[in-house]
Amino acid sequence: MKFRPVPDYHMHTPRCNHACGTIREYAEAAVAAGLTEIGMSDHSPMPGGFDAAWRMHRNELDDYLREAEACRDAFAGQLTLRIGLEADYHPGSEAYVADMIAAYDWDYVIGSVHYIGDWGFDNPDTLDEWDKRNIDDAYVDYFRLVAESAATGMFDIIGHPDLIKKFGHRPSEEGDRVLAAQQQMLAAVQQSGAALEISSAGLRKPVGEIYPHPDIVAEAARLGIPFAYGSDAHSPTEVGHGMDACLSLLHEHGIRHIAAFRQRQRQMLAFCND
Ligand SMILES: [Zn+2]
Ligand SMILES: [Zn+2]
């Protein structure tokens, strides 16, 4: 590894119905991969049946916390384990999410956008919806939602901030309004004080790229926005995946520090010596 290992803050459990592995297995995989810190961030409960099949139910939250706390204590001295959530930003659910965040001592909360209206744009089952959509509109709507998610001030990390590219759909060459929406998104993130996630998940998806695009990394670096790393592991085998590639991309843009969280307090860690 070219860089010092950094915390991997994005991983799931079978409670979301599309991941495998116990928290202990994620922790063991992290130790085996030479990581010293990870954080669990399973898909949070959401109100009103939103995306209900692919996330924890509210009545599973206590078990999730108990399992994570037990594992955190069992690995103390060997691995730092933080306890977080990946919550969705979906207009109308803010009060529910704010309550859920206030109800526990989270180390951090990731805010992600997976839906434009009722369209789960990153779900392979609704891929044909892309044929009915204008790609530029989808990007603009997506970046607007991510900007709104940051503006709520509820989130510590803005998750995989250009997930909209997952299947390789690209905005048009003259996509000035896409660029403007992207810029507004970054301004909102900067203002919120949240960290932007650099995620290796895109490397495992049709787009074959890190989230976010190098242009977004460059602009975020210019704005002084901090980054946090996440593999978005849905299996223990994915813990720490692509970490070096993500850190290389940040390094190319002059970034030398990565965010670490404890009880929602951010600290910046140097991941290299130069
Ligand atoms: Zn997931
Ligand atoms: Zn996600």
Side-chain angles (χ1 to χ4, degrees):
M1 195 173 279
K2 199 164 135 200
F3 303 111
R4 278 199 280 284
V6 299
D8 180 349
Y9 282 146
H10 199 146
M11 50 197 71
H12 295 278
T13 81
R15 289 182 181 82
C16 67
N17 305 316
H18 62 281
C20 62
T22 61
I23 295 178
R24 169 171 284 277
E25 287 168 335
Y26 282 88
E28 284 166 352
V31 171
L35 275 61
T36 58
E37 181 167 336
I38 61 169
M40 300 308 300
S41 56
D42 210 0
H43 293 286
S44 77
M46 290 291 286
F50 169 84
D51 194 39
W54 307 119
R55 57 189 54 258
M56 278 186 268
H57 280 269
R58 187 72 187 233
N59 62 15
E60 291 175 286
L61 202 49
D62 281 350
D63 283 347
Y64 169 67
L65 289 170
R66 249 186 294 270
E67 185 187 346
E69 286 167 345
C71 196
R72 176 190 64 195
D73 298 346
F75 279 78
Q78 199 181 3
L79 175 76
T80 300
L81 196 147
R82 302 295 186 208
I83 302 178
L85 271 184
E86 180 180 17
D88 271 58
Y89 173 71
H90 193 64
S93 63
E94 296 91 330
Y96 179 98
V97 171
D99 278 356
M100 180 172 60
I101 293 174
Y104 183 76
D105 237 354
W106 304 104
D107 287 310
Y108 60 89
V109 179
I110 301 175
S112 296
V113 173
H114 298 104
Y115 275 75
I116 294 171
D118 60 3
W119 175 37
F121 60 83
D122 78 322
N123 184 340
D125 296 340
T126 60
L127 198 49
D128 58 348
E129 180 68 17
W130 275 100
D131 301 335
K132 301 172 204 155
R133 301 268 177 156
N134 175 295
I135 294 175
D136 285 4
D137 286 345
Y139 268 77
V140 168
D141 291 347
Y142 172 77
F143 283 132
R144 194 173 291 146
L145 287 164
V146 177
E148 286 176 18
S149 78
T152 65
M154 295 195 294
F155 305 117
D156 304 295
I157 300 172
I158 302 302
H160 38 59
D162 63 350
L163 179 66
I164 192 74
K165 72 181 178 186
K166 176 174 173 176
F167 298 112
H169 301 89
R170 301 289 185 181
S172 63
E173 289 295 322
E174 5 8 287
D176 290 352
R177 60 198 185 92
V178 173
L179 205 58
Q182 180 182 298
Q183 199 62 31
Q184 282 161 14
M185 179 273 285
L186 286 170
V189 174
Q190 183 195 33
Q191 185 127 42
S192 74
L196 215 53
E197 183 181 53
I198 185 146
S199 166
S200 61
L203 294 171
R204 309 189 297 271
K205 297 293 167 3
V207 69
E209 268 179 19
I210 288 167
Y211 305 119
H213 190 276
D215 291 350
I216 296 180
V217 172
E219 187 56 15
R222 198 183 68 78
L223 293 170
I225 296 172
F227 278 90
Y229 161 76
S231 65
D232 209 345
H234 284 69
S235 148
T237 58
E238 293 171 346
V239 173
H241 171 255
M243 182 185 289
D244 240 25
C246 289
L247 296 179
S248 288
L249 177 56
L250 296 181
H251 193 267
E252 276 166 33
H253 291 90
I255 296 168
R256 303 288 183 266
H257 294 80
I258 201 95
F261 290 91
R262 184 185 184 193
Q263 294 185 347
R264 309 200 70 196
Q265 298 297 309
R266 193 183 75 220
Q267 200 193 337
M268 298 304 292
L269 308 174
F271 59 80
C272 63
N273 293 326
D274 61 333

